[in-house]
Amino acid sequence: MKLRKVTAASAVVFALALTATACGGDDSKDNGSSSSGGGEKIKIGIKYDQPGLGLKTPDGSFTGFDVDVATYVAKELGYEPNQIEWVETKSADRETALARGDVKLIAATYSITDERKQKVDFAGPYLLAHQDLLIKSDADISEATDLNDKKLCSVTGSTSAQNVKKDFAPKAQLSNRGGYSECLSALQNGQVDALTTDDSILAGYAAQDAYKGKFKLAGLKLSNENYGIGVKKGDTETVNKVNDALEKMVSDGAWQKAVDDNFGPANYKNEPAPKIGQLVK
């Protein structure tokens, strides 16, 4: 009888242990917060509407330079491509998505700025772009000052339009939209006179088959935009791992291949790979 009592008690303890494990075993699987991939997934924020950078295609796949960079980084962190869950992250939502833990990383044309570094940490930079203007092919705009009294479109949460109004064209009329595709439609329909953001983004739009010959880049270098990979504030371990991955991507030639594959068709004149780790502290 004594033996039976011990055995029954052990069974109860074992059952309780299994229950506790089942209740608390998946705390970190949703955003890929573990140090290696294993069988889990990692959530990465990207743009869905930026050809050449981050684009969701009609068949549900994802293409672009940011996608290629993020895929390479995820691989170095231990995640295969099929373990990546791509999450649409619009400009105005990036800091919140990281703070809430909705995503582990953000690679979404995320320019490193002092203001943003107060809220998130950055790895990189992995691309140096410049702010420019996209205008109709017959538009007579050759300087940023030509935008005075004209309508200028950018997206909510982006600093591009504000930079133009502050530094070059104080009389420009700002028109903020939810996404770049909305600005592009407004430009095509004549509702705005120019779309401003980084030249890398604009080049992707100008190269689309539907818009070839309709738009052009003004060719202005209005600012330096260093793209970084956003990480939750205080997650220094992940920042260091992502920086190591980016350095490897540059050194083994994968970075240049991604540039050529995504920007080559638009004849985009990219800057050399920036030094990883600068501007992020």
Side-chain angles (χ1 to χ4, degrees):
M1 293 295 294
K2 185 175 181 180
L3 178 59
R4 290 178 182 175
K5 289 181 180 179
V6 172
T7 302
S10 298
V12 171
V13 171
F14 181 65
L16 289 173
L18 285 177
T19 302
T21 301
C23 290
D26 62 348
D27 289 344
S28 63
K29 71 178 183 179
D30 285 343
N31 67 358
S33 60
S34 61
S35 58
S36 61
E40 299 174 354
K41 289 184 176 290
I42 182 171
K43 290 185 177 181
I44 302 179
I46 58 170
K47 296 292 182 63
Y48 276 19
D49 64 344
Q50 292 181 348
L53 286 152
L55 182 69
K56 184 176 182 180
T57 64
D59 66 4
S61 61
F62 299 90
T63 65
F65 182 70
D66 283 348
V67 173
D68 289 348
V69 169
T71 301
Y72 188 101
V73 168
K75 176 75 172 179
E76 293 301 304
L77 295 180
Y79 297 90
E80 296 297 327
N82 63 1
Q83 292 176 280
I84 300 173
E85 182 175 342
W86 302 110
V87 179
E88 183 176 22
T89 312
K90 295 186 177 182
S91 296
D93 301 330
R94 290 178 295 204
E95 287 82 22
T96 301
L98 285 170
R100 284 195 310 234
D102 295 342
V103 294
K104 181 71 171 178
L105 308 172
I106 291 181
T109 57
Y110 204 178
S111 296
I112 300 169
T113 67
D114 289 338
E115 181 180 1
R116 288 169 177 163
K117 285 190 289 184
Q118 302 301 312
K119 301 177 181 178
V120 302
D121 286 338
F122 285 99
Y126 63 90
L127 184 71
L128 173 58
H130 303 285
Q131 185 179 345
D132 201 353
L133 305 175
L134 187 68
I135 54 180
K136 286 189 174 181
S137 56
D138 59 352
D140 186 20
I141 297 176
S142 58
E143 301 290 343
T145 53
D146 294 335
L147 290 171
N148 279 311
D149 299 319
K150 287 185 167 48
K151 294 179 180 179
L152 176 64
C153 193
S154 190
V155 301
T156 303
S158 172
T159 59
S160 299
Q162 289 85 348
N163 290 342
V164 171
K165 187 174 180 67
K166 175 186 174 187
D167 298 330
F168 302 102
K171 295 182 181 180
Q173 302 172 37
L174 303 187
S175 177
N176 291 325
R177 306 296 170 103
Y180 291 107
S181 57
E182 296 174 36
C183 277
L184 195 66
S185 296
L187 178 62
Q188 184 178 21
N189 297 332
Q191 296 173 328
V192 298
D193 299 293
L195 161 58
T196 186
T197 187
D198 305 342
D199 52 7
S200 57
I201 299 172
L202 299 177
Y205 286 127
Q208 286 185 288
D209 290 338
Y211 300 119
K212 282 183 179 178
K214 296 182 179 180
F215 303 122
K216 65 181 180 181
L217 274 71
L220 310 179
K221 292 185 176 182
L222 303 179
S223 68
N224 292 331
E225 305 296 334
N226 288 279
Y227 291 172
I229 294 182
V231 179
K232 188 174 183 178
K233 189 70 177 175
D235 190 356
T236 304
E237 180 182 2
T238 298
V239 169
N240 292 336
K241 289 181 178 180
V242 174
N243 277 336
D244 289 343
L246 291 173
E247 288 178 348
K248 182 179 179 181
M249 187 178 187
V250 172
S251 64
D252 69 11
W255 182 89
Q256 188 60 53
K257 183 179 185 304
V259 169
D260 295 340
D261 289 346
N262 292 290
F263 298 134
N267 295 317
Y268 173 65
K269 309 302 181 184
N270 67 282
E271 300 279 4
K275 182 179 179 180
I276 307 301
Q278 66 172 345
L279 305 176
V280 298
K281 295 183 178 180

